[in-house]
Every structure is written in structure tokens, then in C-alpha cells.
Amino acid sequence: SILRLLKAGSKHFRSYAFRSAFFAHCLDTNVLKALMCARVAVPRWQRRVTGGVACCGAEPAVSLQNLQALEVEAFVAGRGCVTSGLIFEAHALEEPDSPLLIDELLLLERTNYPLAYTSKEVRSKLASLLLPQFHYHASFNQSEHWGDRNDGSLAESYPNAGDEDGLILLDLWVLPSELEDDHPTAAAWRLPLAYGLVPAVKGMKPVGPGQETALSRRQYKAQVASAVRATAVNGCDALLVACSTGLPGTSRGREVLSLEEAAEVWAEVLHGPKGGAPDRCFKQIVFCFGRGALSSEWLLRTQRALTAAFEL
């Protein structure tokens, strides 16, 4: 009954890969139940950001860390940063059988990100199934308890593969890695922004001979620029790039852009023109590779490419 409910409420659950990940990392682990029991607010989301950028002026520290992105927040906080923004590769609806990557799985498993894929009506019905002891209390399903500030679910707002504007998620709450039975959200902390970049799927648009690489570079650069700008406009002083399987858009084996070219794109976007470099909006820029980086030749190659591109 839960599967039928979710599939009826969002087209994301018609994707085998997404619903399998949702069940394995959110439902079966009791994360969804903990979120609903604690009435954690649904994250806000938007597609386009407007506004100016305030730069701190100092050149940021760029580093490569063999930690998961959610672990790096403590690293940048210890270096004077108070507002972190995370960029990760989000799943493409155009590839319903392609597994979700590690960094998005962690968001499903550790934050209120999965609530964004459910509408108020679906959450109410889920509560009756998962928390029957609370569901019938008069105040349990009032919208102010859920913190709903978006209508519907992400099904209507989700970007297409290759769209310049990705998915901006605001006010994520990160749960502790080990949930306590009595107070599952007691040690939760706020992640102000996460940005889901949905790279183009190879072969989506027919192009002439020799044009595909140039087109992919321009498209990818526009996506990276949009992601960086979204974090800067929202006042983030630390930029975290989730790279547990490589740079966003380079790790599924069907990209036109090589990871060396992708690393150059990130350096070009962040350094920008002299006097107006986007990287001056941040105190710390961290590429987060996870704890398995030293045993992965692909991740080591990515680190070498970033080291060369940023002249670290």
C-alpha cells in the first residue's frame, strides 16, 4: 500500500532506481518514520535564484578532503565558516534505471530531503500507516507542523537532464548517523542549502560531427556556474562539492566531458574574471571525496585533475 501511495503521488517513484533507493535508505532504515515522528519541516525548494552576491574579498582556501560532504561541515566550521552550501549530482528522470550516486543516497538516508518528494496528502496518509499512535491526534497533520512552504511535491519542479538551473534545496536537517530511539532528531543540525545538478544524458540532443564536446562543455559550465551562484546568493561562506564518485557529471560512464575537462570548468567558474571572481564569495571551497578515495583510481585521477586545474 505504501508503494502504491508513493507512485500515485510522484513520478519519481515510477523510477525503479529512485524508489529502490528510497525504500532501502529512507523507509527500511526508519529515517522517514523518525522525520515524521519529530515533525521535521519539509525543505523548501526552488529552481532559479535572483539577487546580488556579497563577496568577502579574501582568496578562499581550496582543498580536497577524503571525507563525506556531510562530515566536512564540521571541518569548515572549525575554520570560521558558518553557512555551508553543498553541490551534488542529482538523479535524472530520463534515466529511470540508473542507480542514484552515493552523495544523493546519503541525503536520503541522513536528511529531510526525501520529504520533498511527497505532497501534504501523501505525508498525511504515510503518517496513518507509519505512526498510527500519533496520526489521529487533532494537531498532528496541521500544515504548520510540517512546515509546508511549497505546494505539491518536487514532481512538478524537478529539472530535466542538462537544464542550466538545477534544484535548490533550502533548510535541510541532517540527522545523526545513529538514530536514538527516544529522540531520533535530538542531535540534528541544519544544512542551509543543497544544490542538485542534473547533468545532460549523452545522446539526448543530435549534433553534428565534432560539435558534441564543445556543446557539452558550454552546457556543463553553465550548470556549474548556476550552482556556484546559487550558493553565493544564499549567503554561503563555505562551498562543499560532493565527489564520492567523482566530480558531479563525470562518474556514470556515459558523459562526453572528461573529468580533466570538468576540473578545468570548475576552476574557470570559481576563479572567474579578475576582480569579480565567484570564489571570493567563499572562505572555504572543499571537494569532498569520501573515505574510500585512496583505494579508487578514478577518485585519485579526479584529485590529480583538480590539483592541476586549481594549481594546488
Side-chain angles (χ1 to χ4, degrees):
S1 57
I2 291 179
L3 177 58
R4 289 196 300 271
L5 177 63
L6 292 171
K7 289 177 73 174
S10 172
K11 60 185 178 183
H12 290 267
F13 291 99
R14 298 167 204 165
S15 159
Y16 173 78
F18 182 82
R19 70 173 180 266
S20 296
F22 187 92
F23 271 74
H25 294 268
C26 182
L27 193 60
D28 293 347
T29 57
N30 288 326
V31 168
L32 182 61
K33 185 176 180 179
L35 291 169
M36 303 188 89
C37 183
R39 302 179 188 181
V40 176
V42 180
R44 292 180 292 135
W45 63 85
Q46 56 188 207
R47 285 293 309 283
R48 182 164 296 183
V49 66
T50 58
V53 176
C55 296
C56 65
E59 188 172 347
V62 179
S63 63
L64 316 178
Q65 296 294 326
N66 293 334
L67 297 169
Q68 299 288 357
L70 296 182
E71 298 174 318
V72 172
E73 196 276 341
F75 170 84
V76 296
R79 286 156 178 77
C81 298
V82 295
T83 308
S84 298
L86 167 65
I87 299 175
F88 69 100
E89 179 175 340
H91 64 283
L93 283 173
E94 291 82 355
E95 292 188 318
D97 297 322
S98 183
L100 276 64
L101 299 182
I102 293 173
D103 295 301
E104 189 172 14
L105 292 177
L106 284 172
L107 292 177
L108 282 176
E109 193 173 86
R110 294 278 309 280
T111 76
N112 56 337
Y113 173 54
L115 291 178
Y117 292 93
T118 61
S119 64
K120 285 187 286 187
E121 293 75 18
V122 168
R123 287 193 294 277
S124 177
K125 293 176 181 178
L126 283 173
S128 68
L129 295 170
L130 299 175
L131 302 167
Q133 70 273 33
F134 298 126
H135 178 67
Y136 295 106
H137 288 208
S139 65
F140 187 80
N141 286 306
Q142 293 179 8
S143 61
E144 59 266 25
H145 285 311
W146 292 112
D148 286 323
R149 289 157 289 184
N150 294 92
D151 295 325
S153 71
L154 275 179
E156 296 77 27
S157 305
Y158 200 78
N160 296 317
D163 279 0
E164 178 176 335
D165 295 315
L167 175 65
I168 304 169
L169 294 152
L170 303 171
D171 297 326
L172 288 172
W173 284 94
V174 183
L175 303 178
S177 55
E178 297 292 335
L179 295 179
E180 298 179 13
D181 293 336
D182 295 334
H183 302 285
T185 59
W189 53 272
R190 177 175 171 267
L191 178 65
L193 180 145
Y195 187 103
L197 187 154
V198 186
V201 176
K202 186 175 181 179
M204 281 181 58
K205 297 180 180 180
V207 294
Q211 296 179 344
E212 191 170 24
T213 299
L215 175 63
S216 295
R217 185 183 178 92
R218 289 196 300 271
Q219 187 177 38
Y220 185 68
K221 188 172 184 177
Q223 288 188 304
V224 172
S226 180
V228 170
R229 185 171 185 275
T231 55
V233 168
N234 279 280
C236 298
D237 57 3
L239 176 63
L240 314 180
V241 184
C243 303
S244 293
T245 52
L247 281 168
T250 67
S251 55
R252 292 189 183 272
R254 43 73 170 148
E255 294 80 13
V256 176
L257 209 62
S258 70
L259 66 86
E260 286 80 10
E261 291 173 309
E264 292 173 0
V265 166
W266 281 91
E268 290 170 8
V269 169
L270 285 166
H271 287 330
K274 290 185 177 180
D279 63 0
R280 296 301 177 96
C281 303
F282 310 107
K283 296 178 181 177
Q284 294 279 334
I285 298 173
V286 185
F287 293 89
C288 316
F289 285 88
R291 296 184 181 275
L294 295 179
S295 60
S296 168
E297 179 54 39
W298 179 259
L299 295 183
L300 291 173
R301 179 182 161 192
T302 304
Q303 291 181 344
R304 290 193 294 269
L306 287 168
T307 299
F310 283 90
E311 300 180 353
L312 300 178

